Amino acid sequence: MSTLAVLGCMWGDEAKAKIVDFLGDNADVVVRFQGGSNAGHTICVDDKKYVFHSVPSGILYPGTKCVIGAGVVIEPFDLMAEIAELEAHNISFTGRLYIDERAGVVLPLHKDLDAGSEISSGAHKIGTTKRGIGPAYSDMVARVGIRLGDLQYPEWLRSRLQNIYSYHKIERSDADIENETSRLHEIWKQMQGYICQVDNLLRKWYLDDQYILFEGAQGTLLDVSYGTYPFVTSSHTMAGGISTGCGVPMRYVDKIIGVYKAYCTRVGDGPFPTELNDAIGDKIRVQGNEFGSTTGRPRRCGWFDAVAAQYTARLNGIDAAAVTLLDVLSGLEEIKICTGYWHNGVKLREIPTNPLIMGEVVPEYLSMKGWDKDITEIRSINKLPRAAQDYLEAIQDMLEIPIEIVSVGKNRNQTIVIK
Ligand code: IMO
Ligand code: MG
C-alpha cells in the first residue's frame, strides 16, 4: 500500500485535515488536488492550532513533501502570506513545496466578482467563501484564465490580463495593466523555486514506492457535478478529481478513506434535510465549535444523514470510513440518523438531484440512545459507552463500509484506530 486518499464525504468541514495529519506522520508526500483557499483545514498539535487554506496539511511533518496540483486555484499573494506565517512558526518550506505551473491564478478581479455577484448575495445566493474560487475556475474553463506559469513572462502575462478584462468587459487603463503585470511577475519571482510540473514528480515518487497521501478539500456534496448543485463549490471534490487535479492515473490511488462527521454540518446556502433549527442544533454548534475556519460563519448543524452518506460512499468508492467529532454528541439523550427521504408521501429510492425536491424531503429517522460520558480520553473502541458503539455500528452498517478511525477530540492523539 503506497498511496491513500482522504476525502470529505459530506458538505466539507469533516475534519479531513485531522485525519490527514493523523495518517500522515510517515507520508512522503501530501497532495492538494482541487479547491483553493476556500478550504480551511485545522490541525491541533500540543495545544497549538494551525489553519491551512492552500498549503497541504502535511507541512507540519518536517520530512514530508507537499504538492499543489494543477486542479487547484491559487491566489499567489495569499499563498505567500500563508507560507510566511508558517515560516514564522519555524516550519520550513525549502525543498518541500511543489506547485504545478498549470494551476489557475485567482486575481483580485475574481475576488471582486465573487463578493459582488448574484451568486454570493442575490436571489440565487450560494453563500460562497468570497475567495474568488468560482470566478477563477469559470475563467479557467472559459479559457481566459491565467495560469501560474504565465506569470513568468511579462509580455505574455500583459496580453493575458488585457484579454481577461476585455472578456469581462471591464475597462482597465494601460497603467493598471502594467502595474498588475509587474506585481504578478514579482510574486512569481518569489515563488519560482516551488513551481514545477508535479505530475512528473508524482509519477516518479509513486514508482519509487513513496507513501503519497491525497488530501481532499470541501466534500462530495459540494462537488460541482455530483453535489447539491447549484449550492456547491466549483471543483471536483470527489475521488475522480484526484486524477485530473494532479495528473496521475486513478489506479495510483490504492485506498480511499471517506471522512464523515458524526453529525452533519453545512456552511452557506442550499438544501440540508436533517438540519436542526432548534436547541439541539445550537448545542451541537457550540460543543463542536461549528464556526467556519475560513469565514467565521456559524455552520448549520443537523443529524447524520445516512442517505446522503451512502450516496457519497458509492460515488467515491471508499474503502473505509473515518468518523470524526463523535465527542461532540456526548450529553445528548437521543441521537438520530436519517435513514430515508420521503417526498409527497413517497419514499425516494435515490437522493434527489433537483434542489427544490431536496429542499422538500422529509427525513425518516432511526432514533438511538445517547450517552453522557466524556469520551475524549478514550483510545479504544471497546471502552466507548455501549450507546456510542451502537451508534458507530449503525453508521457502519448503513454505509456498508468499515469504520477504521474514530476521532474523539481535535488533538492528534484523540483518535481511536479500529484497524
Ligand atoms: P473545507 O476544505 C465547507 C462552501 C461554501 C459555499 C460553497 C461555495 O474546509 O472542508 P466557494 O467559496 O467554494 O465558491 O463556496 O461551498 N465551501 C465549504 N464549506 N468547507 C469548505 O472547505 C468549503 N469550501 C467551500 O460555504 O456554500
Ligand atoms: Mg473547513
Side-chain angles (χ1 to χ4, degrees), residues 191-342:
M191 297 174 78
Q192 60 174 311
Y194 304 131
I195 300 175
C196 58
Q197 294 187 9
V198 305
D199 56 321
N200 293 332
L201 292 172
L202 286 173
R203 191 170 308 111
K204 178 180 177 304
W205 293 333
Y206 177 82
L207 296 173
D208 287 349
D209 227 12
Q210 298 201 17
Y211 172 24
I212 303 173
L213 213 157
F214 299 97
E215 175 184 15
Q218 290 85 47
T220 307
L221 296 175
L222 292 172
D223 184 276
V224 66
S225 297
Y226 292 88
T228 49
Y229 193 89
F231 303 97
V232 294
T233 191
S234 301
S235 65
H236 290 289
T237 58
M238 52 192 267
I242 298 172
S243 180
T244 53
C246 60
V248 300
M250 264 318 274
R251 69 187 142 75
Y252 279 21
V253 183
D254 296 326
K255 179 173 179 176
I256 302 176
I257 293 198
V259 188
Y260 293 91
K261 250 182 218 189
Y263 48 94
C264 280
T265 61
R266 170 158 213 176
V267 53
D269 291 49
F272 182 0
T274 64
E275 183 169 13
L276 288 163
N277 286 309
D278 60 11
I280 299 176
D282 293 343
K283 188 169 172 176
I284 292 175
R285 183 173 310 107
V286 171
Q287 253 168 243
N289 189 25
E290 293 294 356
F291 297 88
S293 30
T294 301
T295 58
R297 289 176 292 178
R299 295 181 186 140
R300 302 156 66 192
C301 300
W303 296 122
F304 187 85
D305 184 340
V307 178
Q310 281 164 346
Y311 169 71
T312 65
R314 283 195 298 262
L315 279 174
N316 290 308
I318 67 172
D319 300 291
V323 174
T324 56
L325 292 119
L326 185 66
D327 53 299
V328 172
L329 297 181
S330 299
L332 293 178
E333 224 164 275
E334 180 195 28
I335 300 179
K336 293 184 182 179
I337 299 177
C338 168
T339 55
Y341 289 167
W342 288 81

Side-chain angles (χ1 to χ4, degrees), residues 158 161 173-185:
R158 190 180 303 116
L161 284 168
S173 69
D174 288 350
D176 284 348
I177 297 273
E178 208 45 54
N179 190 359
E180 190 161 11
T181 303
S182 74
R183 265 169 50 83
L184 287 167
H185 182 59

